[in-house]
Short mmCIF file of all heavy atoms in Angstrom, two decimals:
data_model
loop_
_atom_site.label_atom_id
_atom_site.label_comp_id
_atom_site.label_asym_id
_atom_site.label_seq_id
_atom_site.Cartn_x
_atom_site.Cartn_y
_atom_site.Cartn_z
N SER F 1 7.10 -8.81 -0.57
CA SER F 1 5.72 -9.18 -0.88
C SER F 1 4.89 -7.94 -1.22
O SER F 1 4.12 -7.93 -2.19
CB SER F 1 5.12 -9.92 0.31
OG SER F 1 3.75 -10.18 0.10
N GLY F 2 5.06 -6.89 -0.43
CA GLY F 2 4.33 -5.65 -0.70
C GLY F 2 4.71 -5.04 -2.03
O GLY F 2 3.86 -4.57 -2.79
N THR F 3 6.00 -5.06 -2.34
CA THR F 3 6.46 -4.52 -3.62
C THR F 3 5.89 -5.32 -4.78
O THR F 3 5.51 -4.76 -5.81
CB THR F 3 8.00 -4.49 -3.67
OG1 THR F 3 8.47 -3.70 -2.58
CG2 THR F 3 8.50 -3.90 -4.98
N ALA F 4 5.80 -6.63 -4.63
CA ALA F 4 5.21 -7.47 -5.68
C ALA F 4 3.75 -7.09 -5.91
O ALA F 4 3.30 -7.00 -7.07
CB ALA F 4 5.33 -8.94 -5.30
N PHE F 5 3.00 -6.84 -4.84
CA PHE F 5 1.60 -6.40 -4.99
C PHE F 5 1.53 -5.05 -5.69
O PHE F 5 0.69 -4.83 -6.56
CB PHE F 5 0.92 -6.30 -3.62
CG PHE F 5 0.11 -7.51 -3.27
CD1 PHE F 5 0.68 -8.56 -2.58
CD2 PHE F 5 -1.23 -7.60 -3.63
CE1 PHE F 5 -0.05 -9.67 -2.24
CE2 PHE F 5 -1.98 -8.72 -3.30
CZ PHE F 5 -1.39 -9.76 -2.61
N ILE F 6 2.42 -4.13 -5.33
CA ILE F 6 2.41 -2.80 -5.94
C ILE F 6 2.72 -2.88 -7.43
O ILE F 6 2.04 -2.26 -8.26
CB ILE F 6 3.41 -1.88 -5.22
CG1 ILE F 6 2.90 -1.56 -3.81
CG2 ILE F 6 3.66 -0.59 -6.00
CD1 ILE F 6 3.94 -0.93 -2.91
N VAL F 7 3.73 -3.64 -7.79
CA VAL F 7 4.10 -3.79 -9.21
C VAL F 7 2.95 -4.43 -9.99
O VAL F 7 2.58 -3.94 -11.07
CB VAL F 7 5.42 -4.60 -9.35
CG1 VAL F 7 5.67 -4.97 -10.80
CG2 VAL F 7 6.59 -3.81 -8.79
N ALA F 8 2.37 -5.48 -9.44
CA ALA F 8 1.26 -6.16 -10.13
C ALA F 8 0.06 -5.23 -10.27
O ALA F 8 -0.59 -5.19 -11.33
CB ALA F 8 0.87 -7.42 -9.37
N ALA F 9 -0.24 -4.46 -9.23
CA ALA F 9 -1.38 -3.54 -9.27
C ALA F 9 -1.15 -2.43 -10.29
O ALA F 9 -2.04 -2.11 -11.08
CB ALA F 9 -1.63 -2.95 -7.89
N LYS F 10 0.03 -1.86 -10.28
CA LYS F 10 0.32 -0.76 -11.22
C LYS F 10 0.28 -1.25 -12.66
O LYS F 10 -0.24 -0.58 -13.54
CB LYS F 10 1.69 -0.17 -10.88
CG LYS F 10 2.11 0.94 -11.80
CD LYS F 10 1.25 2.18 -11.59
CE LYS F 10 1.48 3.23 -12.62
NZ LYS F 10 2.72 3.79 -12.78
N ARG F 11 0.78 -2.44 -12.89
CA ARG F 11 0.75 -2.99 -14.25
C ARG F 11 -0.69 -3.28 -14.68
O ARG F 11 -1.05 -3.06 -15.83
CB ARG F 11 1.63 -4.21 -14.35
CG ARG F 11 3.11 -3.87 -14.22
CD ARG F 11 4.00 -5.09 -14.30
NE ARG F 11 3.90 -5.78 -15.56
CZ ARG F 11 4.59 -5.49 -16.67
NH1 ARG F 11 5.43 -4.48 -16.64
NH2 ARG F 11 4.44 -6.18 -17.76
N ALA F 12 -1.53 -3.75 -13.76
CA ALA F 12 -2.93 -4.02 -14.09
C ALA F 12 -3.69 -2.72 -14.34
O ALA F 12 -4.54 -2.65 -15.23
CB ALA F 12 -3.60 -4.82 -12.97
N LEU F 13 -3.38 -1.68 -13.58
CA LEU F 13 -4.06 -0.40 -13.75
C LEU F 13 -3.66 0.30 -15.04
O LEU F 13 -4.48 0.95 -15.68
CB LEU F 13 -3.75 0.53 -12.58
CG LEU F 13 -4.58 0.36 -11.33
CD1 LEU F 13 -4.06 1.27 -10.23
CD2 LEU F 13 -6.04 0.63 -11.59
N GLY F 14 -2.38 0.19 -15.38
CA GLY F 14 -1.91 0.87 -16.59
C GLY F 14 -2.13 2.36 -16.53
O GLY F 14 -1.79 3.03 -15.57
N ARG F 15 -2.78 2.91 -17.54
CA ARG F 15 -3.00 4.34 -17.62
C ARG F 15 -4.02 4.84 -16.60
O ARG F 15 -4.08 6.03 -16.29
CB ARG F 15 -3.46 4.69 -19.03
CG ARG F 15 -3.45 6.17 -19.30
CD ARG F 15 -3.95 6.54 -20.65
NE ARG F 15 -5.03 7.49 -20.72
CZ ARG F 15 -5.20 8.58 -19.99
NH1 ARG F 15 -4.36 8.87 -19.06
NH2 ARG F 15 -6.22 9.39 -20.16
N ALA F 16 -4.82 3.97 -16.03
CA ALA F 16 -5.85 4.38 -15.07
C ALA F 16 -5.26 4.78 -13.72
O ALA F 16 -5.96 5.35 -12.90
CB ALA F 16 -6.86 3.25 -14.87
N HIS F 17 -3.98 4.52 -13.47
CA HIS F 17 -3.37 4.84 -12.19
C HIS F 17 -3.14 6.34 -12.05
O HIS F 17 -2.66 6.99 -12.96
CB HIS F 17 -2.03 4.11 -12.04
CG HIS F 17 -1.32 4.44 -10.77
ND1 HIS F 17 -0.34 5.40 -10.70
CD2 HIS F 17 -1.47 3.96 -9.52
CE1 HIS F 17 0.10 5.49 -9.46
NE2 HIS F 17 -0.57 4.62 -8.72
N THR F 18 -3.52 6.88 -10.90
CA THR F 18 -3.22 8.27 -10.57
C THR F 18 -2.58 8.32 -9.20
O THR F 18 -2.69 7.37 -8.42
CB THR F 18 -4.49 9.15 -10.55
OG1 THR F 18 -5.40 8.63 -9.58
CG2 THR F 18 -5.14 9.23 -11.91
N PHE F 19 -1.92 9.41 -8.90
CA PHE F 19 -1.32 9.59 -7.58
C PHE F 19 -2.39 10.07 -6.61
O PHE F 19 -3.41 10.63 -7.01
CB PHE F 19 -0.16 10.59 -7.66
CG PHE F 19 0.63 10.67 -6.40
CD1 PHE F 19 1.49 9.66 -6.04
CD2 PHE F 19 0.49 11.74 -5.53
CE1 PHE F 19 2.21 9.70 -4.87
CE2 PHE F 19 1.20 11.81 -4.35
CZ PHE F 19 2.07 10.78 -4.02
N THR F 20 -2.16 9.90 -5.34
CA THR F 20 -3.09 10.33 -4.30
C THR F 20 -3.47 11.80 -4.50
O THR F 20 -2.61 12.64 -4.74
CB THR F 20 -2.45 10.15 -2.92
OG1 THR F 20 -2.13 8.78 -2.75
CG2 THR F 20 -3.38 10.58 -1.82
N GLY F 21 -4.75 12.07 -4.42
CA GLY F 21 -5.23 13.43 -4.58
C GLY F 21 -5.69 13.76 -5.98
O GLY F 21 -6.10 14.88 -6.26
N GLN F 22 -5.64 12.77 -6.87
CA GLN F 22 -6.07 12.98 -8.25
C GLN F 22 -7.04 11.86 -8.64
O GLN F 22 -7.05 10.80 -8.03
CB GLN F 22 -4.87 12.96 -9.20
CG GLN F 22 -3.84 14.01 -8.91
CD GLN F 22 -2.58 13.81 -9.74
OE1 GLN F 22 -2.50 12.91 -10.57
NE2 GLN F 22 -1.59 14.64 -9.50
N TYR F 23 -7.81 12.12 -9.68
CA TYR F 23 -8.68 11.10 -10.24
C TYR F 23 -8.78 11.32 -11.74
O TYR F 23 -8.49 12.40 -12.24
CB TYR F 23 -10.07 11.11 -9.58
CG TYR F 23 -10.87 12.35 -9.89
CD1 TYR F 23 -11.78 12.38 -10.93
CD2 TYR F 23 -10.71 13.51 -9.13
CE1 TYR F 23 -12.51 13.51 -11.22
CE2 TYR F 23 -11.44 14.65 -9.41
CZ TYR F 23 -12.34 14.64 -10.45
OH TYR F 23 -13.06 15.77 -10.74
N MET F 24 -9.18 10.30 -12.46
CA MET F 24 -9.33 10.40 -13.91
C MET F 24 -10.77 10.78 -14.25
O MET F 24 -11.70 10.29 -13.62
CB MET F 24 -8.99 9.06 -14.58
CG MET F 24 -7.56 8.59 -14.36
SD MET F 24 -6.33 9.69 -15.04
CE MET F 24 -6.50 9.37 -16.77
N LYS F 25 -10.94 11.65 -15.25
CA LYS F 25 -12.29 12.03 -15.69
C LYS F 25 -13.01 10.81 -16.26
O LYS F 25 -14.18 10.59 -15.98
CB LYS F 25 -12.20 13.13 -16.75
CG LYS F 25 -11.84 14.47 -16.22
CD LYS F 25 -11.82 15.49 -17.33
CE LYS F 25 -11.33 16.83 -16.83
NZ LYS F 25 -11.23 17.83 -17.89
N GLN F 26 -12.30 10.05 -17.06
CA GLN F 26 -12.86 8.84 -17.65
C GLN F 26 -12.44 7.65 -16.79
O GLN F 26 -11.32 7.18 -16.89
CB GLN F 26 -12.35 8.65 -19.08
CG GLN F 26 -12.71 9.76 -20.03
CD GLN F 26 -14.19 9.80 -20.31
OE1 GLN F 26 -14.86 8.78 -20.37
NE2 GLN F 26 -14.73 11.00 -20.46
N THR F 27 -13.33 7.20 -15.91
CA THR F 27 -12.98 6.11 -15.01
C THR F 27 -13.16 4.76 -15.69
O THR F 27 -13.88 4.63 -16.68
CB THR F 27 -13.85 6.15 -13.74
OG1 THR F 27 -15.21 6.03 -14.12
CG2 THR F 27 -13.61 7.43 -12.97
N GLN F 28 -12.49 3.77 -15.12
CA GLN F 28 -12.54 2.42 -15.66
C GLN F 28 -12.31 1.46 -14.50
O GLN F 28 -11.34 1.60 -13.76
CB GLN F 28 -11.43 2.27 -16.71
CG GLN F 28 -11.20 0.88 -17.19
CD GLN F 28 -9.99 0.82 -18.12
OE1 GLN F 28 -9.49 1.83 -18.58
NE2 GLN F 28 -9.54 -0.37 -18.38
N LEU F 29 -13.21 0.52 -14.32
CA LEU F 29 -13.07 -0.46 -13.25
C LEU F 29 -12.15 -1.58 -13.74
O LEU F 29 -12.41 -2.21 -14.75
CB LEU F 29 -14.42 -1.03 -12.85
CG LEU F 29 -14.40 -2.05 -11.71
CD1 LEU F 29 -13.88 -1.40 -10.43
CD2 LEU F 29 -15.78 -2.62 -11.49
N VAL F 30 -11.07 -1.80 -13.00
CA VAL F 30 -10.12 -2.86 -13.35
C VAL F 30 -10.44 -4.07 -12.49
O VAL F 30 -10.47 -3.98 -11.26
CB VAL F 30 -8.66 -2.38 -13.10
CG1 VAL F 30 -7.67 -3.49 -13.40
CG2 VAL F 30 -8.36 -1.15 -13.94
N THR F 31 -10.69 -5.21 -13.13
CA THR F 31 -11.06 -6.43 -12.40
C THR F 31 -10.16 -7.61 -12.75
O THR F 31 -10.41 -8.71 -12.30
CB THR F 31 -12.52 -6.82 -12.70
OG1 THR F 31 -12.67 -7.01 -14.12
CG2 THR F 31 -13.48 -5.75 -12.22
N HIS F 32 -9.11 -7.38 -13.50
CA HIS F 32 -8.21 -8.48 -13.86
C HIS F 32 -6.91 -8.38 -13.06
O HIS F 32 -6.67 -7.41 -12.35
CB HIS F 32 -7.93 -8.47 -15.36
CG HIS F 32 -7.23 -7.21 -15.83
ND1 HIS F 32 -7.92 -6.03 -16.07
CD2 HIS F 32 -5.93 -6.95 -16.06
CE1 HIS F 32 -7.06 -5.11 -16.44
NE2 HIS F 32 -5.84 -5.62 -16.44
N GLY F 33 -6.10 -9.40 -13.18
CA GLY F 33 -4.81 -9.42 -12.48
C GLY F 33 -5.02 -9.48 -10.98
O GLY F 33 -5.90 -10.16 -10.47
N VAL F 34 -4.21 -8.74 -10.25
CA VAL F 34 -4.27 -8.74 -8.80
C VAL F 34 -5.58 -8.12 -8.29
O VAL F 34 -6.00 -8.39 -7.17
CB VAL F 34 -3.02 -8.05 -8.21
CG1 VAL F 34 -3.07 -6.56 -8.40
CG2 VAL F 34 -2.83 -8.41 -6.76
N TYR F 35 -6.24 -7.34 -9.13
CA TYR F 35 -7.53 -6.75 -8.75
C TYR F 35 -8.65 -7.80 -8.71
O TYR F 35 -9.73 -7.55 -8.19
CB TYR F 35 -7.92 -5.60 -9.68
CG TYR F 35 -7.15 -4.35 -9.33
CD1 TYR F 35 -5.91 -4.09 -9.90
CD2 TYR F 35 -7.65 -3.45 -8.41
CE1 TYR F 35 -5.20 -2.96 -9.56
CE2 TYR F 35 -6.94 -2.32 -8.06
CZ TYR F 35 -5.72 -2.08 -8.65
OH TYR F 35 -5.01 -0.97 -8.29
N ALA F 36 -8.41 -8.98 -9.24
CA ALA F 36 -9.36 -10.09 -9.09
C ALA F 36 -9.27 -10.70 -7.69
O ALA F 36 -10.19 -11.37 -7.24
CB ALA F 36 -9.10 -11.15 -10.16
N ILE F 37 -8.15 -10.44 -6.99
CA ILE F 37 -7.94 -10.97 -5.64
C ILE F 37 -8.40 -9.97 -4.59
O ILE F 37 -9.06 -10.33 -3.63
CB ILE F 37 -6.44 -11.30 -5.42
CG1 ILE F 37 -5.98 -12.34 -6.43
CG2 ILE F 37 -6.18 -11.75 -4.00
CD1 ILE F 37 -4.47 -12.51 -6.47
N THR F 38 -8.04 -8.71 -4.76
CA THR F 38 -8.40 -7.66 -3.80
C THR F 38 -8.68 -6.36 -4.55
O THR F 38 -8.08 -6.10 -5.58
CB THR F 38 -7.28 -7.45 -2.75
OG1 THR F 38 -7.65 -6.37 -1.90
CG2 THR F 38 -5.94 -7.14 -3.39
N ARG F 39 -9.57 -5.56 -4.02
CA ARG F 39 -9.90 -4.29 -4.66
C ARG F 39 -8.87 -3.21 -4.35
O ARG F 39 -8.88 -2.16 -4.97
CB ARG F 39 -11.29 -3.79 -4.20
CG ARG F 39 -12.43 -4.60 -4.69
CD ARG F 39 -12.57 -4.72 -6.20
NE ARG F 39 -12.33 -3.51 -6.95
CZ ARG F 39 -11.75 -3.48 -8.16
NH1 ARG F 39 -11.35 -4.58 -8.74
NH2 ARG F 39 -11.56 -2.36 -8.79
N ASN F 40 -8.02 -3.43 -3.37
CA ASN F 40 -7.05 -2.41 -2.97
C ASN F 40 -5.63 -2.95 -2.88
O ASN F 40 -4.99 -2.86 -1.83
CB ASN F 40 -7.45 -1.80 -1.61
CG ASN F 40 -8.77 -1.09 -1.69
OD1 ASN F 40 -8.92 -0.14 -2.43
ND2 ASN F 40 -9.75 -1.57 -0.94
#
């Protein structure tokens, strides 16, 4: 179940995904896919 959430979240984030300790200069709020259910 956790892996399914991770895969769905990563696919919804696409290029906006960064690893812990990093952030993107050009931010984008993702509200579709699994992000419509939970913000995290």
